[in-house]
Each structure stands twice: as C-alpha cells, then as structure tokens.
Amino acid sequence: MRLNDEPFQLVREGIKTVEVRLNDTKRQGIQSGDFITFTNLKSTEQITVKVIGTEVFTSFQALLNHYSNQVTGFSNNIQLSQKLASIYQIYSQTDELAYGALAIELQLISK
C-alpha cells in the first residue's frame, strides 16, 4: 500500500498504529496475521507491518470517534471535521456509504 510521507514516518516511528482505509473489495480480504508493505510516496522507502486486527465501521466518522488521534496519525489538536476533510480528499462519501471504513491495526516488523 502507498502512504504519504507524514503518515509513513509515523508508522515507521511506531506512533501511528491504525491505518484508515475504505473497506472496498480490495481491502475486505485483509486479516489478522497478514503482512503489508507500505511504500512512501515521496521517497519510495518501504516498511513492513503485521496486521494484528481489523475492524469495520459504517463510516469514517464512527472509526475516528473510536480511535485516538495519535494512533490514527493525526495531531492531538485537530478536530473531527478536519480529519474527515482530509479523508474525503482521498475517498468519496459515495464510496464510504457503499463500503464503510476499515481500521487496520498494525505492528511494525521492519524499517
């Protein structure tokens, strides 16, 4: 999976431990025990993580209300509306209604 530089660095540092994605067909097969390699879109650096759990939510709002800002890669002072706005730059609300949101709980394996 590809990640922008900032969330990539947070995963690499072990701060961001929950990846937020659309629960589309491509990601519905992700299970505990799977390995994911993230590629930094800026540097092409890669890191590998182990999936330690997944949880499906009906919306990104429900997911973001469930997890802290830190584990999802947001600064502590950012508001819910700002987090949603950043997610809606990537995923459409139509897709969110169709698929829901997926929280992928991560454990860093290699840097």
Side-chain angles (χ1 to χ4, degrees):
M1 290 185 191
R2 299 177 301 173
L3 276 178
N4 287 321
D5 185 57
E6 185 177 345
F8 181 92
Q9 299 302 332
L10 293 172
V11 170
R12 187 177 72 184
E13 293 167 13
I15 296 168
K16 178 177 166 56
T17 58
V18 174
E19 176 61 14
V20 177
R21 296 284 172 140
L22 186 69
N23 190 37
D24 58 6
T25 307
K26 185 165 130 180
R27 291 171 189 89
Q28 288 173 5
I30 297 173
Q31 301 176 27
S32 293
D34 287 350
F35 292 90
I36 297 172
T37 299
F38 286 115
T39 302
N40 185 321
L41 288 172
K42 182 178 178 183
S43 68
T44 69
E45 178 184 357
Q46 294 186 323
I47 53 174
T48 301
V49 299
K50 183 177 183 178
V51 177
I52 58 172
T54 60
E55 191 167 354
V56 177
F57 293 85
T58 57
S59 67
F60 288 115
Q61 181 172 339
L63 186 157
L64 294 170
N65 281 329
H66 184 78
Y67 291 99
S68 72
N69 282 11
Q70 180 177 334
V71 301
T72 54
F74 291 101
S75 62
N76 286 331
N77 61 345
I78 194 168
Q79 301 292 322
L80 177 62
S81 60
Q82 294 169 298
K83 293 186 285 187
L84 289 170
S86 71
I87 289 172
Y88 293 142
Q89 290 178 353
I90 300 167
Y91 301 116
S92 74
Q93 289 179 293
T94 302
D95 285 344
E96 176 188 23
L97 288 171
Y99 296 107
L102 178 65
I104 307 169
E105 297 176 17
L106 314 170
Q107 178 183 18
L108 186 62
I109 299 299
S110 71
K111 293 182 180 184

